[in-house]
Amino acid sequence: PVESNCHSQQLVLRWQPFHHKTADMAMCGGIHAAHPATAEEQTIADKVKGDAEAKLGKSFNKFVATQAATQVVAGTNFFIKVDTGDGFVHIRVFRGLPPQQHIELHSVQGGQTADSPLNYF
């Protein structure tokens, strides 16, 4: 304890370490845990569908985002698992910072399954 000279009060300083659950937090620049795809992530997938088809050399009648993960960089990388009706693909899409927030397909991985982990690529 530290004693104060004013009014004979005691000032007690206590140090408590800061604890947090590192398993629940993504490290800066790291990829966040995968989650069910949102409507926003479906919209992003829809915007790059044509580019993904061109990169893989095939057309898809179905292009439904089922799972996604994000990575904050100078903008956001979206890693999205997409059900194509005859399998799954993983797409990596970059969305820039406001105000433009341009969307660009960075890469695509064909030959995925419903159980393929959605990892950084």
Side-chain angles (χ1 to χ4, degrees):
V2 177
E3 289 191 18
S4 166
N5 291 332
C6 298
H7 304 98
S8 298
Q9 296 176 348
Q10 283 191 337
L11 173 64
V12 178
L13 302 175
R14 295 181 189 202
W15 179 80
Q16 293 181 334
F18 176 71
H19 294 285
H20 62 276
K21 297 178 183 177
T22 54
D24 294 338
M25 300 174 64
M27 64 180 179
C28 184
I31 185 171
H32 293 251
H35 58 268
T38 65
E40 175 189 27
E41 290 155 344
Q42 179 63 58
T43 299
I44 290 168
D46 291 341
K47 289 181 179 181
V48 299
K49 179 184 178 209
D51 294 334
E53 290 172 329
K55 282 195 176 202
L56 291 173
K58 27 171 106 169
S59 295
F60 302 115
N61 291 326
K62 180 179 181 181
F63 206 72
V64 178
T66 60
Q67 193 177 43
T70 58
Q71 176 191 34
V72 177
V73 289
T76 305
N77 282 323
F78 291 86
F79 299 87
I80 304 172
K81 180 186 295 265
V82 178
D83 182 351
T84 63
D86 63 346
F88 289 81
V89 297
H90 290 176
I91 59 174
R92 178 177 165 193
V93 181
F94 175 77
R95 180 176 67 191
L97 294 170
Q100 293 85 7
Q101 290 190 314
H102 70 279
I103 292 177
E104 176 184 348
L105 179 68
H106 183 273
S107 52
V108 60
Q109 293 180 327
Q112 304 298 312
T113 68
D115 297 325
S116 298
L118 190 57
N119 296 318
Y120 180 92
F121 64 95

